[in-house]
Amino acid sequence: MAGRRAPGLSGLPASALSAAYTNHGTNLRENHLNSLKTQLSVFQQLLHQFSITHGKEIRKNPQFRAEFARMCNAIGVDPLASSHRKEGSSKTSGGSVWAQMLGESVNDFYFGLAVRIVQVCRSTRAENGGMIPVEEVRTRVQKGRGELGGEIEVSEDDIKRAVESLEPLGSGFTILMLGSVPMIRSVPRELNIDQSTVLEAIQVLGYVTISMLRINLNWEKARALAVMDDLVAESLVWVDTQGDEKEYWTPTIIRDV
Amino acid sequence: MAQAAPQTGALEPPSTATPFQFPGYYSFPPFFTAQPNLVTRAAQHQKWSLLIQAYCRHNRIFVLSLIDALNSPLFHNAALNRRLSLNDAREVLNWMASEPGGNRAEWIGGTGKAKTGAEKVWVYWRRPEEWASVLEGWVDGTGQKGSVLTLWELVEGEATASQEFHGMDMDLLQKSLQVLVKRGKAQIFGQEDSLGVKFF
């Protein structure tokens, strides 16, 4: 069949020409992809090496850990989300690769931390109504870890990250700002505006009384009483009846020895 | 947190050198008011129980006299000008004596029904069966199995000065030894005020 064709460029069928272009394009793309793949694998290897060399520091030094997490964020990978996805059915997502790469030590760290946070929130729920400052959790967790041997410093940033890692579980654990203080709320409940206002005032003043609320917020006595009764009923505040006027305190300064 | 409270009570430590370190919640004014919310109050009882046990352990108090304790730093925070009332203190101790409270207290001569405040209570920072193990361990460790000891030398003798049970209330000692007697690990004999015990 080919023998019948005359020699020369024009003799080449148009399809062959475009096939050559396509071929070339594919080659280019493949080269490009290959070089990207190489770059990525080099990068992954370096990162893997980095996490091995610095694994201890990542687990130990909160500042280092925060920087590491920031780096992960910058490249658009969430080292925590990875461990959750891995347990799910879609294990082909890039996340699990990440977890494997890091030897899961970082994931384990935050997972272990989350467990300790849940324990602290549970054990203090009766006394604080399920609202506890992040800073207090941090202190307690750090102390608890000390008992188990292996003093590990934990930062507020770590606590927040660990709490966020609980969200996919539908645990109801959230971090919210009360005034300027970050709190962990372990009971699914919304505070109304009056309640938040009062809790913020207690944070600033230490405690409040009905007359303080009436003077500072211009509230009717009935309104102030209703809010305080609600807060007492939800075990968010404690009362002290031994002063001149009934005082309402938040139990945030209750600490074990 | 050094306690600068005036030395009022009859419960002052006889010998301990370091002052008791009160926990943070001791400086929390509402801690001294019985909380109206029952969930909160349960948490409060728990905290009081821990404090009472730690305080008694530190000061080697085995029997608490309610009326004396009310004026001691344990129930009276002079710096805050806050105190636990007789009724609230009794409620805490009742809770400690109950099953949910871990049987960490026992009223001497029955439940605290007398409303005078004169009632006394054993504070079990160690329960009698725990004391039994401690005593047994000490006898074992000092190679005194088979020998006879008087009850007096067990709790007052020089040999036990460094032990936790040194200075223990005699009745509590007997209660604890009875645990060992029941297990066939000890035998008590002798007269009222010159009791001896033999460990096996």
Side-chain angles (χ1 to χ4, degrees), chain A residues 19-34:
Chain A
Y21 278 126
T22 315
N23 211 8
H24 190 58
T26 314
N27 279 346
L28 271 180
R29 242 179 293 144
E30 238 164 52
N31 284 344
H32 193 56
L33 188 68
N34 278 340

Side-chain angles (χ1 to χ4, degrees), chain A residues 232-233 235 239-240 242 254, chain B residues 32 35 37 40 47 82-83:
Chain A
V232 169
S235 28
V239 297
D240 171 23
Q242 295 181 41
I254 293 194
Chain B
F32 295 84
Q35 293 304 304
N37 179 318
T40 312
K47 292 233 175 284
R82 294 288 181 273
R83 57 167 77 242

Side-chain angles (χ1 to χ4, degrees), chain B residues 3-13 19-20 22-23 26 31-32 48 51-52 55 59 61 68-79 82-84:
Chain B
Q3 264 322 108
Q7 310 277 299
T8 47
L11 287 171
E12 291 317 308
F20 177 67
F22 280 95
Y26 182 74
F31 188 51
F32 295 84
W48 266 112
L51 171 58
I52 292 169
Y55 183 86
N59 293 317
I61 295 169
D68 290 342
L70 285 179
N71 290 314
S72 76
L74 176 59
F75 288 141
H76 179 207
N77 185 333
R82 294 288 181 273
R83 57 167 77 242
L84 202 63

